[in-house]
Amino acid sequence: MEKREQYKRLIMFLASAVILLLLMSVYAYTWYRYYEPLVAKSIDRNYAFYNRGNYVLIGLYGLLLYFFFKMYGGFKVGYLRVFDVLYSQVLSVLCVNLITYLQLCLLAQLKFGTELGALFLMTVTDLLIVLVWVLFTRWIYARIYPPRQMLLIYGKHNPADLIRKISSRDDKYNICERIHLSAGEEKIKERISHYKAIILGDIPSHERNLFLKYCFEHNIRCYSIPKISDIMIMNADQIHLFDTSLLLFRNRGLTAEQRFLKRAMDLVFSLIGLVIASPFMLVIAALIKGYDGGPVFYRQERLTQDGKIFYVLKFRSMRVDSEKNGARLARKDDDRITPVGRVLRNIHFDELPQIFNILKGEMSLVGPRPERPEIAEEYKKEIPEFDYRLKVKAGLTGFAQVYGKYNTTPYDKLKLDLTYIERYSFLLDLKLLFLTFKILFQKENTEGVEQWQTTAATKEKDITKDEER
């Protein structure tokens, strides 16, 4: 297993090269067979000279595929689930082929909507190739790299949620044993020696460092749950002015130029989005009004940068009297959600009116999810650092919205939001906007909290008590 690990990157590189070459070959055939003659007729040039441009277009198609595959995770066969990889590649192919068709319309002076037959056949062929490639590559990967046998080390924090999450990927990880810190350092190290990989739960830093160094010394793979301070450390600037290295934590949020660029992007993108979304918003408004005659929009107090309160604007997805018993997050199979609202929430279209909040400067396109003041206060009782996420404006989408879920615990949301704040860049914002399009139709991202929960703060019984019974 360990020897095979050395060749994992090479194997995945070759597999990625194969899918790109296959899809580029299909495009090259379609281009030469159908579209190149159309373009040649529309250009008054020497044909031999123009022929060099064919290779450029095929290469450009390959670069677009690489960009979207890389963006959506289409190459991560061993990392993502089979469906997720397939979904990523299908979405990438559709995006690239649409861009390519627009390019062909410009080159051949075609009217949009004409000469679609060849493109349709090419897309169908691409999707069949993608399906076969994903299933075959995943099968090969599973044969070469079976699930890792792991030991879980945990402390006072209940590891049930972590175990549940890891168990959902039994194709990659298998927690064979778990051991509590109370077993003692020597006993835990003895158990670690029986495994090639361990996972450190949310345990104190001192003990974590002991086991991390032990694993480093013995070449044992180690997974660890990051703490809030770890996220800050990972994104600190390194200073080497003398023979003692320093880590610089600026702790300032965004710089003036970053805020200016971010605001400019918000204005440009939200105006474009408003033009595109307007027809959909009119239809949605009519459906909501027609269902129960209640108000179309829903205004609610939310928190944004520096703890300022603003009124977020959303399409109403629940009954008019949904909060007569107080504020609470949406639950799984929540009967307060209307049929129209359920569809809107599943595809996130209930968030569209927040474009107006962005234009007003109350929100940004990308940032932490705007939380309700009363729910944030509940979270702060358990997590005093929860306000750290208010160093930037709240966002329509964001790191936690893309990589987390609606019912992700507040502590995990905080760590995701801090990761965004510490890593912020213009390119990261663009990446998150592209990834938001990917998750629009993934139902798990809108899954509500459990029936017994008022907020996403998970409260479970101590696992050690369960084990004693």
Side-chain angles (χ1 to χ4, degrees):
M1 177 71 172
E2 294 305 310
K3 290 184 178 179
R4 285 177 285 180
E5 281 290 333
Q6 303 174 23
Y7 303 103
K8 181 184 289 187
R9 290 184 180 277
L10 177 61
I11 292 171
M12 297 316 301
F13 171 79
L14 293 175
S16 301
V18 167
I19 187 65
L20 285 177
L21 289 174
L22 286 173
L23 296 179
M24 287 173 67
S25 298
V26 174
Y27 173 69
Y29 173 81
T30 305
W31 167 257
Y32 280 113
R33 178 70 176 82
Y34 297 101
Y35 291 113
E36 193 269 348
L38 292 175
V39 175
K41 289 179 182 179
S42 64
I43 299 177
D44 185 20
R45 290 183 179 177
N46 181 275
Y47 183 80
F49 173 78
Y50 174 73
N51 190 52
R52 296 180 181 180
N54 296 331
Y55 309 123
V56 174
L57 287 174
I58 296 170
L60 179 60
Y61 183 83
L63 286 175
L64 286 172
L65 279 175
Y66 177 81
F67 171 79
F68 279 96
F69 277 12
K70 195 75 174 175
M71 178 73 67
Y72 289 141
F75 293 130
K76 296 183 176 181
V77 176
Y79 183 78
L80 300 176
R81 295 183 180 90
V82 173
F83 175 79
D84 291 333
V85 178
L86 185 60
Y87 176 61
S88 297
Q89 292 209 1
V90 167
L91 183 60
S92 298
V93 166
L94 294 178
C95 289
V96 172
N97 285 1
L98 175 60
I99 294 172
T100 301
Y101 178 70
L102 295 175
Q103 180 187 69
L104 291 171
C105 288
L106 292 174
L107 289 174
Q109 300 178 17
L110 300 175
K111 290 184 178 180
F112 186 76
T114 61
E115 302 293 342
L116 283 170
L119 184 73
F120 176 77
L121 291 175
M122 182 181 82
T123 303
V124 170
T125 305
D126 287 343
L127 297 182
L128 290 174
I129 290 173
V130 161
L131 176 63
V132 173
W133 183 88
V134 170
L135 294 178
F136 179 73
T137 307
R138 181 61 189 179
W139 179 76
I140 291 293
Y141 185 93
R143 299 272 294 186
I144 300 176
Y145 304 106
R148 295 185 182 280
Q149 310 297 304
M150 302 171 66
L151 168 70
L152 170 64
I153 303 170
Y154 69 99
K156 67 176 183 179
H157 297 285
N158 189 348
D161 188 54
L162 176 61
I163 293 171
R164 181 164 54 248
K165 291 176 181 178
I166 293 177
S167 298
S168 69
R169 292 303 309 272
D170 56 4
D171 57 316
K172 283 185 66 66
Y173 309 114
N174 180 16
I175 297 179
C176 302
E177 182 183 351
R178 60 191 181 207
I179 186 168
H180 193 272
L181 282 178
S182 60
E185 181 182 338
E186 294 305 316
K187 174 63 176 178
I188 293 175
K189 286 182 177 179
E190 189 275 328
R191 294 311 305 158
I192 290 176
S193 64
H194 290 79
Y195 292 89
K196 295 295 184 182
I198 70 165
I199 180 165
L200 301 173
D202 196 353
I203 63 177
S205 299
H206 174 71
E207 286 79 3
R208 185 183 66 172
N209 291 343
L210 286 176
F211 300 130
L212 181 60
K213 291 175 182 178
Y214 180 82
C215 291
F216 184 84
E217 181 182 346
H218 294 84
N219 299 321
I220 297 172
R221 182 176 290 235
C222 183
Y223 299 83
S224 178
I225 304 299
K227 299 179 182 297
I228 291 175
S229 56
D230 294 329
I231 294 172
M232 297 175 181
I233 291 171
M234 286 188 292
N235 297 285
D237 294 329
Q238 296 186 28
I239 296 178
H240 302 287
L241 295 178
F242 22 78
D243 59 358
T244 297
S245 297
L246 290 179
L247 293 177
L248 172 60
F249 305 87
R250 299 187 185 278
N251 305 322
R252 66 189 177 190
L254 307 187
T255 63
E257 59 270 22
Q258 286 175 330
R259 290 196 299 270
F260 175 80
L261 189 61
K262 189 174 179 63
R263 181 59 181 154
M265 185 181 78
D266 287 342
L267 289 173
V268 172
F269 279 51
S270 56
L271 286 171
I272 295 173
L274 184 61
V275 172
I276 296 173
S278 292
F280 299 100
M281 294 174 71
L282 290 173
V283 173
I284 292 170
L287 290 173
I288 294 173
K289 195 69 177 178
Y291 176 73
D292 59 9
V296 171
F297 298 108
Y298 178 66
R299 296 174 73 250
Q300 189 179 70
E301 284 189 345
R302 295 293 178 100
L303 293 172
T304 187
Q305 189 173 13
D306 299 325
K308 295 178 182 177
I309 294 177
F310 74 103
Y311 285 91
V312 72
L313 192 64
K314 301 175 69 174
F315 281 123
R316 182 174 59 85
S317 61
M318 292 189 175
R319 299 194 310 262
V320 177
D321 62 347
S322 61
E323 295 195 339
K324 61 183 179 182
N325 296 321
R328 69 186 194 208
L329 295 182
R331 302 173 179 179
K332 294 179 180 178
D333 303 317
D334 200 322
D335 60 3
R336 298 176 301 160
I337 302 175
T338 66
V340 175
R342 196 168 300 281
V343 175
L344 294 180
R345 293 171 74 92
N346 284 341
I347 60 176
H348 301 271
F349 275 20
D350 60 319
E351 314 279 354
L352 287 178
Q354 291 175 37
I355 293 175
F356 297 108
N357 292 117
I358 296 171
L359 289 172
K360 290 171 64 179
E362 298 166 330
M363 290 178 62
S364 179
L365 277 170
V366 184
R369 183 179 181 273
E371 201 58 78
R372 302 178 66 169
E374 57 269 37
I375 292 179
E377 287 299 319
E378 288 294 317
Y379 292 161
K380 284 162 61 178
K381 293 176 183 178
E382 298 291 331
I383 313 168
E385 305 93 342
F386 196 70
D387 276 351
Y388 289 4
R389 59 202 295 276
L390 300 179
K391 281 183 175 286
V392 297
K393 288 181 183 178
L396 177 62
T397 186
F399 208 89
Q401 295 91 311
V402 167
Y403 293 104
K405 301 177 183 178
Y406 180 79
N407 59 1
T408 296
T409 61
Y411 186 58
D412 286 333
K413 281 183 180 178
L414 172 60
K415 289 192 285 187
L416 290 169
D417 287 330
L418 286 179
T419 300
Y420 168 73
I421 294 170
E422 293 297 307
R423 292 184 182 177
Y424 173 78
S425 70
F426 180 74
L427 291 178
L428 178 59
D429 270 5
L430 290 179
K431 179 180 179 180
L432 291 172
L433 288 173
F434 274 106
L435 289 175
T436 300
F437 180 68
K438 177 186 175 182
I439 67 168
L440 282 180
F441 305 102
Q442 292 181 314
K443 186 178 180 180
E444 61 268 24
N445 289 84
T446 59
E447 187 177 51
V449 298
E450 298 292 344
Q451 293 293 333
W452 49 269
Q453 291 177 285
T454 301
T455 68
T458 303
K459 297 288 186 182
E460 298 185 77
K461 295 179 293 182
D462 191 313
I463 192 169
T464 55
K465 294 180 180 179
D466 290 341
E467 290 174 341
E468 290 172 357
R469 292 174 180 169

